[in-house]
Amino acid sequence: MRKFWQRFRRNKFALIGLCILTAFILAAVFAPLLAPHDPNRANLRMRNQPPSREYPFGTDDMGRDILSRLLYGGRISLSVGLVSVGISLSIGLVLGSLAGYFGGFVDTFIMRLADIFYSFPFLILAITISAIFGPSIYNTMIILGVLSWPGPARLLRAEFLKLKTTDFVAAATALGARPGRIMFRHILPNAFSPLLVSATLGVASAILSEAGLSFLGLGVPPPAPSWGNMLNRARPLHILAGMPWMWIPPGLAVFVVVLSINFVGDGLRDAFDPRQDQTQQHD
Amino acid sequence: MWRYIVRRVFVQGIPVLLGFTFLLYLVITIAPGSPVTHLRGVPNIDEETIARREAQLGLNDSFPVQYAKWLGRVLKGDLGLSFDSSRRPVADLIMERMPATILLSLCSIILAWVIGIPVGILSARYQYSALDYAVTFFAFVGISIPSFFFGLLLLYVFALKLDVLPAGGFFMAGEARTFLGYVKYLLLPSITLGLSDIAGIARYMRSSLLEVLGHDFLRTARAKGLGENIVVYKHALRNALLPILTLMGFTIPFIFSGAVIVENIFAWPGLGSLAIQAVSERNYPVIMGINLMFAVLIFIGNLIADISYAVADPRIRYE
Amino acid sequence: MRKLLAVVLLCLILSAVAVAQEPVQGGTFRFALTTNPRGMFNPILYTEQYDSYIIDLVYDGLIYIDEQLQPQPRLAKGWEISEDGLSITFFLHERVKFHDGVEVTAEDVEFTYKTMLHPEYTGVRYGSFKLLVGAEEYHNGERDDVPGIEVIDDYTIKFTITEPYAPLVTQFGYGVLPKHLLGDIPVGELEQAEFNRHPIGAGPFKFVEFMTDQHVILQANDDYFLGRPNIDQVVFQRVAFDALPIYIRQQRVDYAEISPDNYAEVSGIPGVDLYIYEELSYNYICFNLRQPRFADPVVRQAITYGFDRETYVEVLREGFGIVANAPIPMASWAFTSEGINEYPYNPELAAQMLADAGWKPGAGGILEKDDMRLEFEFLVPEGSRVTEQMALLFQQNMADIGIKVNLVFMEFSAAVDRVDAREFDTFTMGWSLTVDPDPHGIWHSTSPWNDPGFYHDRSDELIEMGRRETDPEKRKEIYAEWQRIINYELPTMFLSYGVTVAAVNERVQGINTEPGPLGPLGGLQRLSQIWIQD
């Protein structure tokens, strides 16, 4: 673990990313303490105000404080990212393990199911599902989560296939360990690193997907703020051109957070992958 | 090889497509909203006319019957008639727009490869140099911007402020269809669509090449006194390109999904706006037709990726 | 009246003063569309507004609706209505030709209208003509002819109905179809005809080309019986919604209709004039009167007093619109302001009215009475920025008077589903209205679109009287009384009448610079007279 941290620390980008990410998460958690205004309280006399002492990031077209919305929006955008990855990991973990461990018919069935989900053009299904249940933050999480389980499932299955034939698992089996025990004690820890990497990247892409759904009016519904729907509100060209305070904060927030997550994911990959050490010796 | 392809298509492809269409049809029929909702706005329309319309569209059948009828027609090569007022064959609606979507997707894929691969190579070749850091940074920038917003910014800068490129669309009425014209109209949408792929491929190429460079046979090559350039470009590259080929299969569904949004921003005459319109109007045959089309394309894309992988790597043999 | 004046003034300020000039021949007029037509260019089969643009130019009907919303003769030289109001005879112009050179006769007119009654007709317009004598039997396959449609000679046709129907004449605007091209196609297969994508009519413009999702091109009809249009070409250019302001600014389109939401993006562009006009539409918040808590009109009135609709119009809609208090828009001849309560924003009065009616604050300060509670869902279709803002304002205003509103945003189709199933407390939507003010389709207790569930004997009686009354003055009085009833009962809270902004390039001459509800082009009627002055 210490060695891991040393390797991780060597990647400057990853370290910076981790700090920024921590800051954003803290800001989101403590949003109620930090936000100067109620994020949803409209004040029609203060619409479209540029940044000022009262409103450090200005106000939007409903006279709501952009800083407060940004903080609360961070709560929503980050939890959309985290929860949806949590969902896809849970499904993927269970199905991937089953497929990898049992093989045969179970494997074929689960992998075909993964193919089916993989064939869904993501947005079209997201649009349809969001129409069925009505757009809501929870549905956005579920949609993003349920549609991306094949990724982790495949990863885990591959890890199983690889490790199943290795000596220590064979030895454990020979010693009479039960299947469940083998899975949890021996295989899952080995699959941990690639899963963690793919999960970090999953969080980043879920945050972007939420923004994309917002563009189609299917993300987190108003009046609750998310970075995606804040960006979407800034679509008209006169806002884009004349009121940059409405889109720079959420745009920058999405960008910086996704960037940080990617850096962290990259750092994790390098830190987990000892081969990188060899590579670097040549330089 | 042929046996492998046949097996992939029949054992894997057909069941997947069946399962996929079944689930999708189920989802869209239980969705609230009806294909006749928009008739509400027609003046003096009576309930009888709406009931007739529902019967005409086959909406009175139960879900299994509707799906069976749809599947039966599809097996005969008929995607059915669109539910909207034009009542045109779904196949026509799709074929009219397909070329534009494929053109856009192809351009953005090509753009991603033509830019992404050399950038990735340079970045690996000069690892930890200023160039590498710059490339890495910009690659991450590319992955981290929501595409719709990037598209809007491009529109704002290049169409409105600089006025050098059209604000979307695909040739004005009466405009000559020159090669330059195609470039002009394709540039902004394909950059928007390809941006995250450019970044992804550059990153992937970099790490793939770095990994190969660590292998023994290259150390041997270096030891034999071959110059670093020859080592990188001649020996390492071929091996590093392999994993990139599988990446192609992976990116195809994302390109198509992304096209829905990009086509909307740029009024690109492809399948994107048809898809969104069809979903909001509950136009079942069109939703099914487009999704089936995409699913088939994604399947073919994956197949091609796997086959090219096998062709490029003599160690892999599909039985 | 004060507000009407305000709108007229606004129009005057914003419109350029048209200089009287000689029309110039030639040029292309580019009309921006953000949604593309479906390609059903058949007047009796289309349902989408965008298709109707092309249809209006390619076909001519017996009559057309002028900018004062009155029917005027077009293919018909004139018409005659019988004393009993039950039959109408049209006299056609002679030697009018379809674009393929064949003459338009009464047979074509008969074909057009009879097809809409045919048992196998797949379109949605039968409801407008089922009053014709024999129409129902013919439609149900019980007889082979329609006695209510009678061709007297090549240029005379007579329609007879079973009971007096005041809006009758306005129903005859449908473009006349060429029987010689379509007569042999079985009616059930008409919607599949290639003709629908390459229409041939007798209108001022000929159809040239439809490129899916790109454009439609029409060309001046040299042989148009009222004289060739001044412009050579009309192009309907599809433009991305987000890019529309860029197209207007760069003068790549001559005309675009935009929602007031986007006014800020197009104001102040040199060379482009903006015209604001009131449409025949309104939006509203509908109460579900089937629920006991909304049954008392006092509750509806109090809620209306408690909602700051002036701020909604003045601030959220940037002043585009007029607060509505009854369902007949100001632009209609049947509009009245006499005896109409304007329900000005007055939260104190609203609270007082509710208190007087026995509502008392309960848990959480929310008003209660017996086992009823003023906490309800407000269904809001997604997609419009201003509607979303309105919903937030409504929620805040209601909270001030002890009413809790829970916002439910929904995709439009899904929202309509809930409304149709009557599974709603309140919702907001809008109605676009026909030229004739007959409210039967929306407000009669037998109408399927009576969403609030409004059953009122006097209202029904007046609606039926208004349909039968052919004397415009008497009809106006009937509708005035009816509006006063609705204004008191408020089965829905009226928000504002619809307003559209048209952005028109200065080079376009001959438009109506003080547009009525049909806009600066008078529907599209003026396209055959406008010219391009470069």
Side-chain angles (χ1 to χ4, degrees), chain C residues 359-417:
Chain C
W359 294 87
K360 296 190 177 61
I366 298 164
L367 293 176
E368 290 177 350
K369 178 183 175 182
D370 304 331
D371 54 350
M372 300 177 291
R373 204 173 137 83
L374 284 183
E375 171 176 0
F376 51 81
E377 269 190 7
F378 182 36
L379 204 60
V380 186
E382 279 194 313
S384 157
R385 175 181 295 259
V386 173
T387 303
E388 183 192 318
Q389 295 174 337
M390 183 274 286
L392 286 174
L393 183 66
F394 183 61
Q395 189 183 38
Q396 285 188 8
N397 281 173
M398 288 301 108
D400 294 342
I401 56 169
I403 297 176
K404 182 154 192 239
V405 176
N406 299 313
L407 302 180
V408 179
F409 288 88
M410 262 197 170
E411 189 235 18
F412 181 76
S413 279
V416 169
D417 238 32

Side-chain angles (χ1 to χ4, degrees), chain A residues 200-201 203-209 211-212 227 231 250-264, chain B residues 136-150 153 192 194-200 203:
Chain A
T200 47
L201 300 179
V203 172
S205 83
I207 291 175
L208 287 179
S209 298
W227 292 339
L231 266 184
L252 218 57
V254 171
F255 171 63
V256 169
V257 164
V258 173
L259 194 66
S260 307
I261 296 176
N262 272 309
F263 283 155
V264 171
Chain B
T136 306
F137 183 75
F138 280 106
F140 278 123
V141 171
I143 307 175
S144 312
I145 296 185
S147 72
F148 80 88
F149 206 70
F150 184 64
L153 289 178
T192 309
L195 180 75
S196 69
D197 274 340
I198 298 177
R203 290 289 302 152

